[in-house]
Amino acid sequence: MAHPAYAPETKLEVRRMFAAPREKVFEAWTQREKVEKWMCRFPRHETRFTTSDARPGGTSVMEVKNPQGETFKQSVTYRDIEPPEKLVFTWDWEKFSASGEKVDEARDTLVTVEFEPRGIFTEVILTHEGLATAAQREAHSKGWNGCFDRLEEELKA
């Protein structure tokens, strides 16, 4: 029997084509000044990065507050970086209500991001595994797709 953390309903895959060279797209994921322009930068959200260290064993930490007053504290630990082909990192997060009560969390989820050259485009294939529930999967699907929308805007700039 499959481990429940890696069951299909708790695994997410997002694919997107970007009109930019693979090296430029990869840098947008690994250079702090570029990541801060698109990662979790949704309208009316306050996003604050406190640490960004994109190297194996390095960590990146951010806090996102949404218009409802909920706060998400996210921590990434890089496991593997293969420029400009692949990133592998853990994605841990905690969600707090507007009153500060912890209402959800996920630990040791695993994100793999692959960068495939497709002529003048780069296909980004993101796989996020180990989410606890189908609801977390759906929330992350919305989040990652929103991040990809912002990344597309930044790559055009």
Side-chain angles (χ1 to χ4, degrees):
M1 180 176 198
H3 186 282
Y6 295 95
E9 65 271 12
T10 60
K11 180 179 177 181
L12 168 66
E13 182 177 273
V14 178
R15 291 174 172 258
R16 184 78 62 96
M17 297 289 278
F18 295 96
R22 177 163 77 159
E23 292 76 13
K24 182 176 180 179
V25 180
F26 186 87
E27 288 172 359
W29 282 80
T30 57
Q31 293 180 4
R32 181 180 182 152
E33 65 278 3
K34 294 178 181 179
V35 174
E36 290 182 358
K37 291 180 178 179
W38 65 269
M39 179 67 77
C40 297
R41 292 284 182 188
F42 308 118
R44 301 184 319 277
H45 282 69
E46 298 173 27
T47 305
R48 185 171 60 94
F49 291 80
T50 57
T51 307
S52 183
D53 185 7
R55 61 181 173 85
T59 60
S60 294
V61 178
M62 71 180 139
E63 188 173 295
V64 180
K65 187 172 184 178
N66 69 20
Q68 296 77 30
E70 298 169 319
T71 301
F72 299 82
K73 295 182 180 180
Q74 298 162 301
S75 175
V76 165
T77 301
Y78 294 93
R79 289 189 176 179
D80 187 24
I81 298 177
E82 298 174 27
E85 299 170 10
K86 183 164 97 172
L87 290 172
V88 180
F89 52 86
T90 59
W91 177 270
D92 296 346
W93 60 271
E94 298 173 297
K95 179 181 178 182
F96 297 87
S97 68
S99 65
E101 177 186 350
K102 187 190 296 186
V103 294
D104 201 3
E105 72 178 343
R107 298 276 181 212
D108 297 321
T109 69
L110 186 66
V111 177
T112 302
V113 187
E114 298 169 283
F115 304 84
E116 296 293 335
R118 305 281 188 237
I120 62 168
F121 294 91
T122 299
E123 182 179 18
V124 174
I125 305 159
L126 179 140
T127 306
H128 194 154
E129 300 176 88
L131 297 163
T133 64
Q136 283 185 1
R137 180 191 180 282
E138 290 309 308
H140 280 79
S141 178
K142 283 178 66 175
W144 283 119
N145 277 290
C147 286
F148 278 28
D149 291 345
R150 289 286 300 129
L151 175 58
E152 185 172 28
E153 293 171 15
E154 284 304 316
L155 290 170
K156 289 178 182 178

